[in-house]
Amino acid sequence: MPMHNSEIADSFERLADLLEIESANPFRVRAYRNAARTVRGYPRGMSDLLEDGEDLSELPDIGKDLAEKIHVMVETGKLPLLEEVESRTPPALSELMKIEGLGAIRVKTLYKKLKVKSLDDLKTAAQDGKIREVSGFGEKSEEKIRKHIERYAGGQERTKLMDAEDIAKPLVEYLKKAEGIKDIIIAGSYRRRKETVGDLDILVTAKRGLTGKKGESSIMGHFTDYDEVDEVVSKGKTRSTVYLRSGMQVDLRVVPQVSYGAAQHYFTGSKSHNIAVRTMGVKKGYKINEYGVFKGGKRIAGETEKSVYEKVGLPYIPPELRESRGELDAAKEGKLPKLITLEDIRGNLHTHTKATDGRNTLKEMAQAASELGYEYLGITDHSKRLTVAKGLNKKRLLEQIEEIDKLNEKLDDIVLLKSIEVDILEDGSLDLPDSVLKKLDYVVGSIHHKFDLSRKKQTERILKAMDNDYFSILGHPSGRLINERDAYEIDLEKVLRGARDSGCFIELNAQPERLDLTDDGCKMAKEMGVKISIATDAHSSSNLNYMRFGVDQARRGWLEAKDVINCRSLKELKKLFKK
DNA sequence: GCCGTTTTCGGCCCGACTGTTTTCAGTCG
């Protein structure tokens, strides 16, 4: 079993924590954290890179030493230095640092003074009132620790973007009512449209005259008075942090208007993108922070994000690209993609109806799609193997084909396309015979069972399915459900190559809990010349609106309208489906 | 431990906020 990037990153982070507790050189500690971030965010597996003979020390923040450590980890599954450190410092101390308000120094103090070696020890010490007796701690610290142990135990899973929207939108509406608020934006990974977000970073500017002490604190007061606030962690003139009842952490920051762009840039991240931009600024003799771009103490830019990028000689970079995945080089060379927008979408190629597990009729789906301004809507009900969804057999599919033909005669502003989401069986054959598949406009094939095949077998299964003359689009290619079910193992590069060679397309499933293909997957597909279908897998007419989540993900994957088949006209699309 | 148009040594982001202090250390982002 090859070591996954996240496991390598976890080991580096644990090592960094323990070294920090041991008071190691802080820059060495940071080096491990930086390396962890690089490895965690790297689109390709370290083991794959090594297999291809790549030199890992070429990666940012990975030098000779860490390249060798990764090599050893991939080979043996072990990080000897971590084991050595863990033999003299209790490994669980690393976990204690995840408790809000506890850093390396305080964890070390509690370990030395109270022999706190684990979360349980910490809990007991807090309950017994021992912590307040340690110098440097007090009653309040002890109370906070007690509270945050519970919060930590309640889980620290990232929130799906759609759920984050449900939490953020009413809060933003509420904040807008605060006296003196001028602009408001949710920054952070929410603005980068990442599939999940950790916390909400809300940025506001206040009206002139109200940016003084009084205006800001009234905004903060309004914020912390919000009904859903469960706990106020900190509250200051320019920054406050709360936990909502949902468990979501929200940071609110107030900046003056002249700093709005710089602050947006700073708080939108990603961190590595910001560092790279700041470094470019330093080389030009500027200092860039959340308040602006400064030259010798004088602000020379910062009211808009565009002005910040301009000062370092770059065009505006859309938030979705700010992940240090090559966007700065592309921007320097004037090669940023012209990202796809929701308006580019002309149809939806994966939807279900009442015939299987959908909620609406063909006609209702057609009408809803027409209202969205679509030219076409593909109907892809399930095939017979999926009995729980009343999957269609040959006879019922033929009936649906007839029904669609009839309906199309009556519809004048939209065309329904005949299709199926056919199950890919374990051996790579399809769940319905070619004799019926060939009557369809196109075919979506998906895996709904046997998720646990080996990577090799799962890949071969898909490759074989795509070889079928009538196969058009691979549906939800990894099968993952965010926070619920891991992706099944596939060699995506091989699948993409297979798709290219057999004239197939890959779906970006826009369901907020799927978002499958990933952003990195989209980018890889684009680089390999494989086109994408962004589709909602709608099980009701209202689900058609999930398209925007798919478009967001596509933008994170650098996709342009020309990379997406459902940005084509119906005529062009039909040509694409002819193998 | 990484990095280099100030290149093999000497830097490595820093401001806001809290709590425990009595002028500041620790944490966070």
Side-chain angles (χ1 to χ4, degrees):
Chain A
M1 200 57 189
M3 210 171 184
H4 198 267
N5 281 359
S6 66
E7 297 171 273
I8 296 170
D10 286 347
S11 295
F12 281 158
E13 265 164 18
R14 275 209 306 284
L15 180 54
D17 288 347
L18 296 178
L19 286 174
E20 197 181 3
I21 290 165
E22 292 183 346
S23 311
N25 176 349
F27 299 109
R28 183 176 170 223
V29 170
R30 192 191 295 170
Y32 280 108
R33 296 224 165 95
N34 290 342
R37 201 171 52 232
T38 296
V39 172
R40 193 181 300 284
Y42 206 74
R44 294 187 60 204
M46 294 297 122
S47 48
D48 279 358
L49 291 176
L50 285 169
E51 240 172 68
D52 292 353
E54 308 260 359
D55 179 7
L56 298 183
S57 68
E58 299 281 310
L59 299 177
D61 299 322
I62 309 285
K64 213 170 150 227
D65 181 88
L66 290 182
E68 180 54 25
K69 286 192 165 73
I70 294 171
H71 189 92
V72 171
M73 271 193 275
V74 167
E75 296 269 296
T76 67
K78 287 178 182 170
L79 177 53
L81 179 61
L82 178 60
E83 293 184 358
E84 186 193 321
V85 173
E86 283 179 336
S87 70
R88 55 177 188 248
T89 303
L93 294 187
S94 152
E95 198 183 9
L96 298 189
M97 287 178 64
K98 297 203 166 56
I99 304 296
E100 172 113 33
L102 287 188
I105 294 170
R106 304 183 100 187
V107 165
K108 185 182 187 176
T109 305
L110 293 174
Y111 172 51
K112 293 282 177 208
K113 304 271 179 193
L114 299 176
K115 298 207 166 30
V116 166
K117 288 199 269 282
S118 68
L119 214 51
D120 278 343
D121 292 348
L122 183 69
K123 206 171 172 179
T124 312
Q127 274 161 0
D128 296 351
K130 298 279 186 209
I131 289 177
R132 69 180 71 184
E133 293 165 9
V134 180
S135 103
F137 292 80
E139 256 179 73
K140 283 193 175 173
S141 298
E142 188 176 83
E143 180 54 33
K144 272 210 163 167
I145 287 168
R146 204 178 296 147
K147 217 182 225 173
H148 285 124
I149 291 173
E150 266 174 51
R151 199 174 286 291
Y152 178 77
Q156 50 276 302
E157 203 169 60
R158 290 173 64 87
T159 305
K160 289 194 277 279
L161 185 58
M162 182 175 70
D163 298 338
E165 281 190 356
D166 289 342
I167 293 166
K169 282 181 174 163
L171 172 55
V172 166
E173 285 314 305
Y174 169 83
L175 285 173
K176 279 182 183 166
K177 290 181 202 148
E179 195 196 343
I181 283 210
K182 207 169 168 216
D183 296 298
I184 180 161
I185 190 172
I186 307 171
S189 49
Y190 185 98
R191 181 160 177 246
R192 302 200 309 278
R193 307 310 285 161
K194 209 169 163 174
E195 59 195 31
T196 60
V197 306
D199 59 9
L200 294 174
D201 290 301
I202 303 182
L203 185 65
V204 305
T205 60
K207 283 205 178 94
R208 200 178 271 280
L210 275 166
T211 47
K213 248 182 185 172
K214 203 176 151 214
E216 283 166 1
S217 55
S218 83
I219 289 170
M220 288 307 182
H222 183 74
F223 174 52
T224 54
D225 281 347
Y226 185 51
D227 245 7
E228 292 293 317
V229 169
D230 180 42
E231 182 195 343
V232 178
V233 179
S234 70
K235 183 177 176 184
K237 276 185 286 184
T238 66
R239 192 171 102 194
S240 296
T241 299
V242 305
Y243 279 105
L244 301 181
R245 279 208 275 266
S246 58
M248 179 73 88
Q249 182 186 320
V250 186
D251 292 347
L252 180 69
R253 306 166 199 257
V254 183
V255 295
Q257 195 65 45
V258 284
S259 300
Y260 191 42
Q264 279 181 61
H265 185 256
Y266 188 93
F267 294 119
T268 296
S270 67
K271 192 170 179 174
S272 54
H273 174 91
N274 286 353
I275 290 172
V277 170
R278 282 207 294 276
T279 306
M280 290 177 71
V282 168
K283 283 184 186 152
K284 288 182 184 288
Y286 305 143
K287 187 177 112 155
I288 302 176
N289 60 24
E290 62 264 56
Y291 297 110
V293 180
F294 296 88
K295 187 180 183 179
K298 188 169 177 281
R299 181 192 285 116
I300 55 167
E303 183 147 9
T304 64
E305 281 191 311
K306 195 161 171 277
S307 74
V308 175
Y309 283 114
E310 258 168 20
K311 284 296 170 208
V312 294
L314 294 177
Y316 176 82
I317 300 176
E320 294 92 331
L321 295 182
R322 300 180 196 169
E323 299 286 350
S324 281
R325 283 190 287 211
E327 72 278 9
L328 290 166
D329 287 336
K332 277 179 217 163
E333 294 162 18
K335 286 182 180 161
L336 283 176
K338 187 178 180 296
L339 296 181
I340 182 175
T341 67
L342 192 55
E343 288 69 39
D344 291 323
I345 299 289
R346 297 166 87 156
N348 190 337
L349 297 171
H350 186 166
T351 66
H352 297 270
T353 72
K354 260 185 159 163
T356 58
D357 57 351
R359 222 173 305 156
N360 294 94
T361 62
L362 280 173
K363 202 176 163 188
E364 286 162 350
M365 293 300 283
Q367 186 172 353
S370 168
E371 279 165 17
L372 290 170
Y374 289 165
E375 288 172 37
Y376 47 86
L377 179 74
I379 302 298
T380 54
D381 272 313
H382 288 291
S383 66
K384 65 185 192 325
R385 199 211 64 86
L386 215 58
T387 46
V388 282
K390 301 181 291 176
L392 303 181
N393 57 21
K394 185 175 175 180
K395 178 166 172 285
R396 288 178 63 215
L397 179 55
L398 287 169
E399 284 166 12
Q400 188 182 62
I401 288 172
E402 210 171 298
E403 199 185 339
I404 291 176
D405 282 337
K406 272 188 196 157
L407 190 54
N408 268 335
E409 282 172 23
K410 288 185 215 157
L411 298 169
D412 41 37
D413 52 358
I414 189 157
V415 174
L416 291 183
L417 296 177
K418 293 162 287 190
S419 185
I420 184 89
E421 181 183 14
V422 67
D423 258 62
I424 299 173
L425 304 179
E426 185 177 356
D427 64 356
S429 62
L430 302 180
D431 190 30
L432 287 169
D434 289 357
S435 61
V436 59
L437 297 182
K438 73 178 185 191
K439 293 179 190 292
L440 300 167
D441 292 307
Y442 69 98
V443 171
V444 175
S446 302
I447 285 178
H448 290 121
H449 70 305
K450 288 280 176 187
F451 293 149
D452 58 353
L453 297 186
S454 70
R455 177 165 144 122
K456 188 162 176 280
K457 279 194 172 158
Q458 201 70 282
T459 303
E460 280 166 4
R461 175 188 189 182
I462 292 170
L463 290 176
K464 184 174 171 220
M466 290 195 301
D467 260 345
N468 180 294
D469 284 342
Y470 304 104
F471 193 104
S472 323
I473 301 170
L474 176 64
H476 44 72
S478 86
R480 67 138 177 204
L481 295 174
I482 297 170
N483 289 346
E484 279 166 49
R485 185 173 73 205
D486 286 342
Y488 37 74
E489 298 274 341
I490 56 166
D491 184 331
L492 184 60
E493 207 175 325
K494 271 191 189 154
V495 167
L496 291 171
R497 207 176 304 133
R500 191 182 56 199
D501 294 345
S502 58
C504 294
F505 310 101
I506 304 290
E507 178 178 274
L508 161 49
N509 191 298
Q511 295 259 343
E513 60 270 19
R514 287 191 184 269
L515 292 174
D516 180 11
L517 208 53
T518 62
D519 44 12
D520 287 326
C522 289
K523 192 158 185 263
M524 195 192 281
K526 181 190 170 112
E527 282 159 7
M528 291 177 68
V530 177
K531 305 243 178 289
I532 300 294
S533 161
I534 308 178
T536 62
D537 197 355
H539 284 70
S540 72
S541 55
S542 61
N543 280 177
L544 292 173
N545 293 310
Y546 287 158
M547 186 62 79
R548 64 191 181 86
F549 292 105
V551 170
D552 286 340
Q553 178 92 331
R555 288 169 64 86
R556 288 180 55 78
W558 293 52
L559 298 191
E560 306 179 62
K562 65 179 167 63
D563 302 315
V564 175
I565 60 173
N566 51 314
C567 293
R568 304 291 175 98
S569 68
L570 181 58
K571 200 174 149 197
E572 285 177 81
L573 185 70
K574 284 197 163 172
K575 257 191 251 166
L576 285 178
F577 285 143
K578 284 204 182 98
K579 276 201 178 177

